[in-house]
Amino acid sequence: MTDKTKTPDRRGWMSLLAKAPPADLARLWGAFGEAPGYSYLRAPEVGGVMVRGRTGATGAPFNLGEMTVTRCSLRLESGEVGHGYVQGRGKTHATQAALIDALMQTDRAAALRAAVLDPLRDALQAARAARAEKAAATKVDFFTMVRGED
Amino acid sequence: MYVAVKGGERAIDNAHAWLAEERRGDPAVDELSVAQIREQLALAVNRVMTEGSLYDSDLAALAIKQARGDLIEAIFLIRAYRTTLPRFGAAHPVDTAKMACDRRISATFKDVPGGQVLGPTFDYTHRLLDFKLAAEGEGEAPDAPRNPAQEGAAPHVTGFLNREGLIQTEDASDATPPDLTREPMELPAGRPLRLQALTRGDEGFVLSLAYSTQRGYARNHAFVGELRIGAVAVEMDIPELGFAIEIGEITLTECETVNQFTGSKTEPPQFTRGYGLVFGQTERKAISMALVDRALRWKELGEEDQGAPAQDEEFVLMHCDNIQATGFLEHIKLPHYVDFQSELELVRKLRREAAQTQMQEAAE
């Protein structure tokens, strides 16, 4: 493995790919237009991950329930190993995430970041900002009524 | 007692075929898509995810469609599906302090930092039927107003009280919690096991128990210190990598109640707390869970056992699961011909004996 696999960057792009809407990822990946040869080390597999909370938000952990997750691992013909762990039951999503994870360890990283990762991040941030703005519009501005004392 | 019987096969097949036809309803009416259920019946989807113990809105919507809108049947379908999934692991406990809040209110502090954010709520609506929604082709999609977003996450309200020592502290730990989906529930249960049972418990049952505490059965004077709804990231360690990544983002509802005092010879009086956390926007359930959690804590908080249902851990935990309950309840409609045959014989024998006794008494 190259040094790139150890950078905190990898945590960032894998997290982004896990949360990306599958249709957006598929569109951007398709437009990127590269189809490197690969073989699965672990074929795409749907499973559950137990989500936990804490008592009183800060105390002891407790089990809240599971979420669906799909994972896969693959090796490019050029040797790089990529992993995909994505939310939901999307085998294509997991495979595309793993392919991108592997390609991000090659000299295609900069092009891939610009063509796929940056637009995904921008879209997620825009969606989050839109909700935050709608929430802000429902924030209560208290004012005190004039009291009838004088 | 179950006895194998044959002969119903064709009737069952035909019953299921008719079920499919009835599920579809009038073919002249458009068929519902799973996406429509997911987007437009989102609160039903949230309930099915919460009580089904599986966060997957597409699956929950499919289950609702298959169950013809019977949410307990849909929860049953999700629970059954969930058991087929291999478990990849457990995530780190979610950090709700970092929640991207759609809604965040406090009933205890008007001027809470971060403010009172109402979010998409039914509160303050007039509960009048809106006949505009009945009109076909509603026209343009509604568009919510926007204001510039505030920076940073809203801090937890209980944190402020804690700074003054006015509220009991939650003891942080990283202990692995028990999992009632893996091992049978053992009583007495600790608080983590109770919270797992309550979060997947039936909304109606937990609501009624919570209401009973408000009406005086183990009253503990709950205030909603804070209610927040929003998205949190879920992080998990990936063994192949040796570090944690975010594997997704989920919407949660969290309720923290601030309840009446406890104190002792060594500790001054302070507020106590109840906690509710559920998948999706599921506010009634989160508040109910917090009230019942608080009522069940009577022993550790040195309170009196009032004999109230909401204080009875066994009563609450063994009856809050609607799939267990409905399974046992509904099985009595299945054939019990042999059981009943023996009861029939018994009651006939008793009647014969009673009649003989009467005749003897009359003869004497």
Side-chain angles (χ1 to χ4, degrees), chain B residues 342-354:
Chain B
S342 73
E343 300 267 312
L344 259 184
E345 277 173 27
L346 181 61
V347 76
R348 285 187 180 128
K349 180 163 164 261
L350 291 172
R351 286 170 63 91
R352 266 197 311 276
E353 285 169 5

Side-chain angles (χ1 to χ4, degrees), chain B residues 131-289:
Chain B
F131 289 98
K132 287 202 295 293
L133 293 175
E136 293 290 324
E138 289 166 56
E140 283 178 32
D143 194 16
R146 299 186 187 193
N147 275 357
Q150 29 192 12
E151 294 293 315
H156 274 119
V157 167
T158 45
F160 307 126
L161 284 170
N162 218 351
R163 243 178 263 158
E164 285 184 69
L166 292 178
I167 193 163
Q168 154 249 336
T169 306
E170 296 287 356
D171 296 324
S173 103
D174 284 313
T176 302
D179 183 356
L180 63 82
T181 67
R182 289 301 175 92
E183 307 103 29
M185 191 155 52
E186 280 189 33
L187 301 175
R191 196 170 173 213
L193 193 59
R194 294 200 300 251
L195 288 175
Q196 184 185 15
L198 289 174
T199 192
R200 71 207 302 265
D202 182 76
E203 180 172 314
F205 182 83
V206 181
L207 166 67
S208 292
L209 279 172
Y211 179 46
S212 75
T213 69
Q214 292 185 293
R215 290 195 63 255
Y217 293 85
R219 186 195 297 279
N220 51 47
H221 293 275
F223 292 98
V224 172
E226 181 168 356
L227 181 72
R228 54 169 66 195
I229 302 175
V232 295
V234 180
E235 266 195 326
M236 184 171 79
D237 289 324
I238 305 299
E240 303 89 303
L241 299 173
F243 56 83
I245 66 162
E246 292 174 8
I247 53 166
E249 188 175 74
I250 61 176
T251 298
L252 297 175
T253 303
E254 180 186 58
C255 176
E256 292 196 87
T257 58
V258 176
N259 302 65
Q260 243 177 17
F261 321 108
T262 181
S264 64
K265 282 175 189 151
T266 52
E267 286 185 59
Q270 58 178 182
F271 289 111
T272 58
R273 43 213 279 180
Y275 189 67
L277 186 68
V278 289
F279 285 155
Q281 179 175 349
T282 315
E283 179 170 312
R284 183 186 305 115
K285 172 71 175 288
I287 302 170
S288 303
M289 177 175 168

Side-chain angles (χ1 to χ4, degrees), chain A residues 11 19 42 48 50 66 68, chain B residues 55-56 82 240 244 246:
Chain A
R11 180 185 137 79
K19 295 184 289 187
R42 174 159 59 203
M50 180 55 92
E66 284 166 279
T68 50
Chain B
Y55 196 100
D56 187 313
R82 194 199 63 79
E240 303 89 303
E246 292 174 8

Side-chain angles (χ1 to χ4, degrees), chain A residues 34-84:
Chain A
E34 285 188 25
Y38 66 92
S39 54
Y40 283 119
L41 300 173
R42 174 159 59 203
E45 173 189 25
V46 178
V49 166
M50 180 55 92
V51 180
R52 288 175 174 160
R54 289 185 180 278
T55 59
T58 52
F62 69 94
N63 291 310
L64 191 60
E66 284 166 279
M67 62 185 278
T68 50
V69 171
T70 307
R71 68 179 175 187
C72 84
S73 301
L74 49 78
R75 177 182 281 123
L76 299 184
E77 279 168 1
S78 50
E80 291 81 6
V81 171
H83 302 289

